[in-house]
Amino acid sequence: MLKSIKHWLKKYFIPHEHNDHKPHFLRSETTVIVIGFVLFVEVAFLLEILVLFPNTNFFASILPAVLVDETNSGRMGNALEELKINPLLQEAARLKANDMAAKSYFSHESPEGKTPWYWLEQAGYEYVYAGENLAVNFIDSEDVVVAWMNSPAHRANMLNDKFSEIGIAAARGTYEGRETTFVVQFFGKPVLAALPPGEAITQTEQIVPVPDTATSAPELMPQVKGETNQLEPAVTVNKSSVLAKIFSKPRTVTDYLYFALLALTCLALILKVFIKIKIQHPQLIGNGVLILSIIGLTLLVSELVAVFQAQIL
């Protein structure tokens, strides 16, 4: 097995007399295959985010469980306890997400002036601490979590040691004239878990609005808002499936594939140029540069699509 791998690597990446100093990875046949694969992956990516996601509820259905896992991974990386899913918080998130989708708004406060805590009350969730993060127009679950973690207000909610429970929901709707997915993330600490036996319940509300961090084109660039409110039974966190994680991260998965091909192409070019520096084949070097250019272009397209789609509050 190791011998076969060594032979394959030598054949495709190392110039020597048995391959006429022309590594097969940089030959025209392989170049066509690699470029064809990149274009196939990019077309599949664009179809997923521009056709599948906008016309079905698929993304909204797989997103919540993945975001719970990603949020808990961030907490565990900061030595914090995992958040447990609470069905009442999930219901509150569902109500809020559906309301935003039905009325085409993206804000912590509804057009009627309903605050995030209204939805907690509607779901019957009694709390001493609660928080809310929102997102819209994202096409990749990892991008949502990264955007939240890069915002001080959202990060404070996600890494708040006062919270013990979480509920996330997503809904399809229209925002600024286009079909999109609204995401609501609620955090909480229930009253029953916070009060000693016999102590009276006291609720306080301290709403902290966080302004948008949009640039001069807020409809295109990511935005951030987070709110926290101080004021039972929880269930085990539902783990998202491997397939759900893959389908909820289309841009991340395609980027990994592209970066792997970039690394292989760079390796092939370096070995071709420097192992037999006196024996060069301009066509092979040109093939490598062409592969790098195509991959770079597809990475740029993927990045632009993600940036121009995403907003968070």
Side-chain angles (χ1 to χ4, degrees):
M1 182 66 176
L2 290 177
K3 187 176 181 180
S4 298
I5 294 175
K6 182 179 179 181
H7 174 75
W8 183 86
L9 290 173
K10 186 176 181 180
K11 175 182 177 180
Y12 277 84
F13 291 94
I14 299 176
H16 56 89
E17 59 182 8
H18 295 296
N19 61 13
D20 197 25
H21 302 287
K22 296 179 180 180
H24 283 244
F25 188 86
L26 295 175
R27 293 189 181 188
S28 298
E29 305 83 29
T30 306
T31 299
V32 170
I33 293 173
V34 171
I35 291 176
F37 175 75
V38 170
L39 295 178
F40 172 80
V41 170
E42 187 66 13
V43 169
F45 164 73
L46 293 175
L47 286 175
E48 183 177 4
I49 64 170
L50 299 178
V51 178
L52 177 62
F53 288 174
N55 295 293
T56 70
N57 202 41
F58 178 71
F59 189 56
S61 66
I62 64 174
L63 191 59
V66 176
L67 290 180
V68 169
D69 286 349
E70 295 286 347
T71 299
N72 276 329
S73 294
R75 287 178 65 87
M76 294 178 68
N78 286 272
L80 296 170
E81 293 290 330
E82 282 191 352
L83 299 171
K84 294 182 173 64
I85 292 178
N86 186 293
L88 297 180
L89 279 179
Q90 287 182 304
E91 175 63 10
R94 186 189 69 82
L95 292 172
K96 174 63 178 289
N98 286 341
D99 193 65
M100 287 196 298
K103 299 172 183 176
S104 300
Y105 72 93
F106 182 52
S107 173
H108 289 295
E109 188 171 302
S110 75
E112 300 83 11
K114 296 173 182 175
T115 68
W117 330 124
Y118 168 83
W119 307 106
L120 298 180
E121 294 170 3
Q122 290 297 108
Y125 186 77
E126 297 183 353
Y127 59 92
V128 288
Y129 295 102
E132 179 190 63
N133 285 342
L134 303 178
V136 71
N137 288 337
F138 278 86
I139 58 174
D140 191 291
S141 59
E142 189 164 311
D143 287 345
V144 178
V145 175
V146 169
W148 279 340
M149 290 296 283
N150 286 340
S151 160
H154 294 77
R155 183 182 178 89
N157 272 344
M158 297 174 75
L159 302 183
N160 192 329
D161 60 1
K162 293 183 174 66
F163 297 142
S164 60
E165 298 179 342
I166 190 172
I168 300 178
R172 294 290 306 167
T174 302
Y175 180 60
E176 295 183 340
R178 63 185 179 189
E179 287 291 318
T180 189
T181 299
F182 295 86
V183 182
V184 178
Q185 182 183 53
F186 271 126
F187 304 92
K189 183 172 185 178
V191 170
L192 296 180
L195 294 176
E199 184 170 326
I201 296 175
T202 302
Q203 281 191 325
T204 60
E205 293 190 355
Q206 298 178 352
I207 301 175
V208 184
V210 181
D212 292 349
T213 61
T215 65
S216 58
E219 73 281 1
L220 299 179
M221 301 298 291
Q223 300 179 35
V224 174
K225 273 187 191 174
E227 289 199 8
T228 303
N229 193 23
Q230 178 176 338
L231 275 163
E232 144 160 303
V235 297
T236 304
V237 172
N238 297 323
K239 297 296 182 181
S240 56
S241 68
V242 174
L243 284 178
K245 289 179 180 179
I246 292 174
F247 281 110
S248 72
K249 301 178 181 181
R251 191 178 72 86
T252 300
V253 171
T254 55
D255 282 359
Y256 285 157
L257 290 174
Y258 295 154
F259 284 128
L261 288 174
L262 278 174
L264 289 174
T265 306
C266 288
L267 175 64
L269 281 172
I270 291 171
L271 294 175
K272 175 66 188 78
V273 171
F274 292 104
I275 285 185
K276 292 290 182 178
I277 199 165
K278 293 183 179 180
I279 304 176
Q280 300 297 334
H281 298 88
Q283 182 180 354
L284 269 64
I285 296 174
N287 289 341
V289 172
L290 177 61
I291 293 174
L292 294 178
S293 300
I294 295 296
I295 295 175
L297 181 61
T298 53
L299 280 169
L300 178 61
V301 170
S302 298
E303 181 68 21
L304 289 175
V305 169
V307 169
F308 283 108
Q309 290 271 62
Q311 298 183 47
I312 61 174
L313 293 175

